[in-house]
């Protein structure tokens, strides 16, 4: 078996955005949101089912996986590899948008159902030690959660350090799969949950269609190009900073060379002569020095 990198957008949406294999999304959401018994998800309807890009240059046609369950609850699931500026605001915007879009203008507010935003992040977003960071609106004095319709859960892959023999909960097993699938050679023996088992089979690239493999590779190349552009920009910025630093150091040295003899009684004409600086430049630096006094 050769499993895909689940962090790749094509693989992610193939596994979680497949309307015919929704059992994977149901299992994942129940595990991460810790929904059990009467609160558990029994069925989901995908609001943006997985579609391949039409052209190799295109990005995938959806940017996240959105679904609603048998109780009308909304779910937004997103994979985010880089911590981009505005991500936290965008997560709140997405969740609020899906919450408000449940009803039309003039309809009664009591028809609104809870909305959950689940972010799978390849970076840390919280200060806590737990890899799963959960957020809800609480009353500051009492800690009560009476405004409980919009909630957030973030899986921080960089904080997940558990090895295969340390996995206990289903959220552990799902997170291990997402982070490590690409390096695995076979389905681990501990996988008994039907949804996670289907996810492993869906991640096996030997079973993918040619078009899916091409889209997957194109997505990988776009990701590498983006990383290369970012690295280039950083190097350019560092080199520009070094050049600016050298210029600033040179200017400060020249100012010191002019001001020191000036303070010792030399005239601008004399300074210009023995330093081989223009008289205009010497006068300008002396003027700036006197204005600072």
């Amino acid at each position: 078996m050769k499993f895909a990198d689940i962090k790749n957008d094509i693989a992610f949406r193939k596994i979680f955005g497949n309307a015919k294999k929704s059992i994977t999304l149901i299992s994942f959401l129940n595990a991460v949101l810790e929904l059990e018994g009467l609160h558990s998800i029994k069925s989901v309807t995908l609001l943006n089912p997985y579609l391949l890009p039409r052209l190799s240059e295109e990005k995938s046609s959806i940017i996240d996986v959105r679904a609603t369950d048998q109780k009308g609850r909304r779910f937004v699931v997103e994979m985010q590899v880089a911590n981009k500026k505005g991500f936290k605001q965008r997560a709140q915007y997405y969740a609020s948008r899906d919450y408000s879009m449940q009803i039309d203008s003039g309809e009664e507010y009591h028809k609104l159902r809870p909305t959950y935003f689940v972010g799978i992040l390849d970076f840390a977003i919280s200060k806590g030690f737990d890899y799963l960071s959960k957020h809800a609106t609480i009353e500051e004095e009492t800690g009560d959660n009476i405004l409980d319709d919009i909630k957030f859960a973030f899986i921080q892959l960089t904080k997940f350090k558990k090895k295969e023999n340390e996995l206990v909960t289903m959220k552990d097993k799902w997170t291990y799969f997402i982070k490590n699938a690409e390096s695995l050679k076979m389905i681990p023996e501990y996988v008994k949950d039907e949804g996670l088992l289907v996810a492993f089979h869906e991640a096996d690239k030997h079973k993918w269609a040619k078009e899916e493999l091409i889209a997957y590779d194109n997505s990988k190349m776009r990701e590498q190009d983006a990383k290369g552009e970012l690295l280039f920009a950083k190097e350019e910025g560092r080199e520009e900073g070094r050049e600016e630093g050298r210029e600033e150091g040179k200017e400060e040295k020249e100012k010191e060379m002019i001001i020191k003899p000036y303070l010792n009684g030399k005239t601008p004409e004399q300074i210009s002569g023995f330093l081989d600086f223009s008289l205009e430049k010497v006068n300008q630096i002396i003027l700036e020095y006197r204005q600072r006094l």
Side-chain angles (χ1 to χ4, degrees):
M1 288 180 153
K2 188 173 180 59
F3 301 111
D5 179 4
I6 313 303
K7 297 186 294 297
N8 175 280
D9 57 357
I10 300 298
F12 169 72
R13 290 161 182 140
K14 177 176 174 62
I15 291 168
F16 294 111
N18 189 338
K20 296 180 180 179
K21 302 289 179 66
S22 61
I23 189 172
T24 59
L25 183 60
I26 292 172
S27 172
F28 172 75
L29 290 173
N30 279 330
V32 173
L33 298 175
E34 299 174 308
L35 300 174
E36 299 177 342
L38 296 175
H39 299 291
S40 64
I41 301 168
K42 307 297 183 186
S43 64
V44 293
T45 300
L46 289 166
L47 303 177
N48 53 346
Y50 165 69
L51 296 170
L52 282 174
R54 292 168 299 173
L55 302 172
S56 60
E57 293 82 6
E58 284 187 10
K59 293 184 177 181
S60 187
S61 56
I62 56 175
I63 57 176
D64 51 31
V65 171
R66 297 170 56 244
T68 183
D69 74 349
Q70 74 280 359
K71 294 184 177 182
R73 295 176 294 188
R74 295 289 186 108
F75 304 91
V76 181
V77 185
E78 181 180 315
M79 170 68 74
Q80 187 72 27
V81 176
N83 188 5
K84 297 180 180 178
K85 184 177 181 180
F87 168 72
K88 298 173 194 175
Q89 289 80 5
R90 182 163 59 79
Q92 294 174 86
Y93 171 76
Y94 275 22
S96 301
R97 183 191 61 182
D98 269 54
Y99 182 69
S100 63
M101 286 176 62
Q102 294 179 51
I103 62 173
D104 294 323
S105 178
E107 289 191 78
E108 297 178 350
Y109 294 118
H110 69 80
K111 292 182 179 180
L112 291 167
R113 294 294 178 262
T115 294
Y116 299 84
F117 183 98
V118 180
I120 306 170
L121 316 178
D122 205 17
F123 54 90
I125 196 173
S126 70
K127 296 180 181 179
F129 294 104
D130 196 339
Y131 71 89
L132 180 61
S133 176
K134 302 176 79 172
H135 302 257
T137 303
I138 62 170
E139 204 280 326
E140 290 188 358
E141 182 181 356
T142 64
D144 290 341
N145 177 216
I146 59 172
L147 302 176
D148 59 353
D149 269 6
I150 301 178
K151 295 182 179 180
F152 302 83
F154 299 103
I155 295 177
Q156 304 164 102
L157 296 177
T158 53
K159 290 187 178 183
F160 185 79
K161 308 295 183 182
K162 293 186 178 182
K163 296 180 173 57
E164 188 173 316
N165 62 349
E166 299 174 319
L167 307 179
V168 178
T169 64
M170 277 305 301
K171 66 181 179 183
D172 286 346
K173 295 172 183 177
W174 266 107
T175 304
Y176 185 85
F177 164 71
I178 293 169
K179 184 172 183 177
N180 300 298
E182 189 179 23
S183 64
L184 301 178
K185 304 300 181 184
M186 59 187 299
I187 300 175
E189 293 184 3
Y190 67 77
V191 179
K192 307 298 181 184
D193 177 81
E194 186 179 358
L196 184 54
L197 188 61
V198 170
F200 267 101
H201 284 294
E202 288 294 295
D204 183 6
K205 293 195 293 182
H206 287 147
K207 300 178 181 179
W208 286 21
K210 180 180 179 180
E211 293 77 9
E212 291 177 313
L213 291 171
I214 292 173
Y216 176 83
D217 288 339
N218 287 335
S219 179
K220 279 280 190 181
M221 287 188 286
R222 286 196 300 270
E223 182 181 336
Q224 290 301 320
D225 288 344
K227 289 180 179 178
E229 289 173 2
L230 180 61
L231 181 61
F232 178 76
K234 288 182 178 178
E235 288 297 328
E236 285 284 289
R238 279 195 287 265
E239 182 57 37
E240 185 177 333
R242 284 193 289 266
E243 184 63 32
E244 288 178 357
R246 285 192 289 268
E247 287 298 322
E248 289 176 2
K250 180 182 177 182
E251 290 177 6
E252 289 301 316
K253 184 66 176 177
E254 289 178 348
K255 290 178 181 179
E256 182 181 347
M257 292 170 64
I258 291 171
I259 297 302
K260 190 172 182 179
Y262 170 72
L263 294 177
N264 287 329
K266 300 296 183 182
T267 66
E269 290 77 10
Q270 290 174 320
I271 297 172
S272 173
F274 64 74
L275 287 180
D276 199 24
F277 288 160
S278 69
L279 182 59
E280 181 182 3
K281 180 175 183 177
V282 172
N283 281 325
Q284 180 62 35
I285 290 176
I286 291 174
L287 176 62
E288 290 175 359
Y289 170 77
R290 294 180 64 182
Q291 288 176 339
R292 291 197 300 269
L293 296 178

